[in-house]
Amino acid sequence: MAESTDCHKAQQDFPKVLILKPIPFINLVGEQYFASNKFTFVEAYDSSLPLHQFLSTHSPSIKAILSSVGAPPITSDILHLLPEVGLVVTTSVGLNQVDLLECRRRGIKVANAGSIFSDDVADFAVGLLIDVLRKVSASDGYVRKGLWATKGDYPLGSKLGGKRIGIVGLGNIGFAVAKRLEAFRCSISYNSRKRKPHVSYPFYESVCELAANCDVLVICCELTDHTHHMINKEVLSALGKEGVIVNIGRGAIINEKEMVQCLVQGEIAGAGLDVFENEPDVPLELFAMDNVVLSPHVAVFTPESFLDLRDLVVGNLEAFFSNKPLLSKFGDW
Ligand SMILES: O=CC(=O)O
């Protein structure tokens, strides 16, 4: 009994890591998955207090925040309420939910999921593309509805080999997509913030020009002020009537209204979409289209990768609390 009280007391003295919303898919592994003997979690979502009151109450002991996709954004308001926070760690690769400028201004370190999901996301992007081109999901639906027997053959899909692929955002994920599609004998070109000095794929400074010279656009970039709605009607029209778009980045990189309009009017041929502007809401028009493949933001990882995620998240937090270099530090501050 004395031991467990000591243990409880010791835990109370651990530095606290705030979690604002349960981590997606944590049910696969259980809450204790990210536990450590160097810190303890404070779960705002378990409290009946309004968030601001909860944060003010715990503010002196909260030293770090663990954030994830779909969690409330880490805004300057939240950081203002938590002056002791020195680290934001995310279970995601994307950091659009974190006010990075404010983190930099306050000297708060940031660490994301680095490249541990790149293979999973790239596999999924290629899967979506093959599905759209070869109509895998659509023909599955045709067979299941008994239409093969009553209506006969289903229309053939289009060949992947030889397609001209435009990668938007040639980071770890974009590069992994490119490597996979090269193996299918596709030609690759890309758009990125800057030309990559050691990459031989043709570079297009304008995403519209890239689209005009490709059959497929695969969106792999981050969502930032610069990339918000970067893929609009003009870009989609440049991609053309035979063109296909795949998005495994963030929904708001595409102007969703304009994309839906282009699909409805046949101005592009199809889309493979894992991400949407207002998740989990998906534009209803897309449900009826068999040239569109939809998935609920699941490209990111597999249960197998959860083990790597644990090592990275706990490793980053333990490094921070031991004054050691972070494992996947983001930014130059
Ligand atoms: O979308 C998922 C991520 O950014 O990790």
Side-chain angles (χ1 to χ4, degrees):
M1 185 68 196
E3 201 176 291
S4 87
T5 311
D6 284 352
C7 177
H8 186 66
K9 181 170 178 328
Q11 277 218 339
Q12 280 182 344
D13 294 340
F14 284 168
K16 304 276 191 301
V17 179
L18 172 72
I19 308 183
L20 291 169
K21 190 176 172 208
I23 293 158
F25 302 104
I26 193 71
N27 56 316
L28 287 176
V29 286
E31 294 265 336
Q32 284 311 305
Y33 193 63
F34 293 108
S36 159
N37 60 8
K38 293 226 167 21
F39 55 84
T40 183
F41 289 115
V42 209
E43 283 121 357
Y45 54 88
D46 269 349
S47 167
S48 54
L49 292 177
L51 183 60
H52 274 57
Q53 203 178 328
F54 178 89
L55 295 182
S56 303
T57 310
H58 291 272
S59 141
S61 60
I62 295 177
K63 310 288 185 206
I65 304 175
L66 176 56
S67 169
S68 51
V69 169
I74 311 296
T75 58
S76 56
D77 277 356
I78 288 193
L79 294 172
H80 179 74
L81 288 171
L82 301 171
E84 297 301 319
V85 163
L87 173 69
V88 174
V89 182
T90 66
T91 61
S92 60
V93 181
L95 286 167
N96 54 294
Q97 77 276 27
V98 181
D99 186 337
L100 293 171
L101 279 180
E102 187 62 12
C103 287
R104 175 194 280 270
R105 199 183 72 74
R106 290 178 175 270
I108 296 172
K109 294 177 179 157
V110 175
N112 68 355
S115 60
I116 58 174
F117 302 141
S118 301
D119 283 341
D120 286 337
V121 183
D123 292 347
F124 205 92
V126 172
L128 283 175
L129 178 57
I130 294 177
D131 195 338
V132 175
L133 290 175
R134 299 298 307 275
K135 308 177 192 286
V136 180
S137 296
S139 49
D140 173 273
Y142 191 74
V143 173
R144 284 172 198 262
K145 285 181 202 141
L147 297 174
W148 190 15
T150 54
K151 286 191 150 184
D153 290 337
Y154 191 72
L156 294 176
S158 164
K159 191 179 186 71
L160 173 59
K163 287 277 186 294
R164 298 167 305 159
I165 311 287
I167 308 278
V168 179
L170 198 68
N172 286 318
I173 294 171
F175 207 69
V177 172
K179 283 285 155 219
R180 281 157 175 72
L181 289 173
E182 266 191 300
F184 284 92
R185 294 186 304 95
C186 295
S187 62
I188 311 290
S189 44
Y190 74 104
N191 162 267
S192 223
R193 262 169 308 180
K194 286 189 198 144
R195 182 192 294 272
K196 309 265 168 182
H198 304 297
V199 169
S200 59
Y201 305 138
F203 168 71
Y204 288 89
E205 207 170 320
S206 139
V207 77
C208 214
E209 235 180 278
L210 175 73
N213 286 284
C214 285
D215 306 304
V216 175
L217 281 186
V218 186
I219 311 303
C220 303
C221 60
E222 295 169 60
L223 173 61
T224 62
D225 289 347
H226 172 68
T227 63
H228 183 263
H229 284 189
M230 176 171 71
I231 308 297
N232 54 17
K233 182 167 167 41
E234 192 192 349
V235 175
L236 295 170
S237 302
L239 184 60
K241 288 189 187 314
E242 302 299 321
V244 167
I245 189 153
V246 170
N247 191 4
I248 43 80
R250 285 288 182 273
I253 296 166
I254 301 181
N255 182 325
E256 202 166 70
K257 255 198 190 135
E258 294 186 1
M259 177 189 65
V260 169
Q261 218 173 36
C262 286
L263 283 161
V264 169
Q265 291 168 355
E267 287 179 35
I268 58 170
L273 306 169
D274 184 56
V275 285
F276 303 88
E277 272 206 75
N278 299 303
E279 295 174 5
D281 294 338
V282 174
L284 289 181
E285 295 95 322
L286 298 178
F287 290 4
M289 296 180 184
D290 60 7
N291 54 340
V292 174
V293 177
L294 306 169
S295 56
H297 203 146
V298 289
V300 57
F301 52 51
T302 52
E304 290 89 331
S305 301
F306 238 94
L307 203 57
D308 300 334
L309 179 64
R310 185 211 170 266
D311 291 349
L312 192 66
V313 165
V314 175
N316 272 315
L317 287 163
E318 289 188 343
F320 174 72
F321 290 123
S322 321
N323 286 320
K324 292 195 176 139
L326 299 177
L327 305 184
S328 56
K329 182 172 180 302
F330 179 88
D332 56 6
W333 63 93

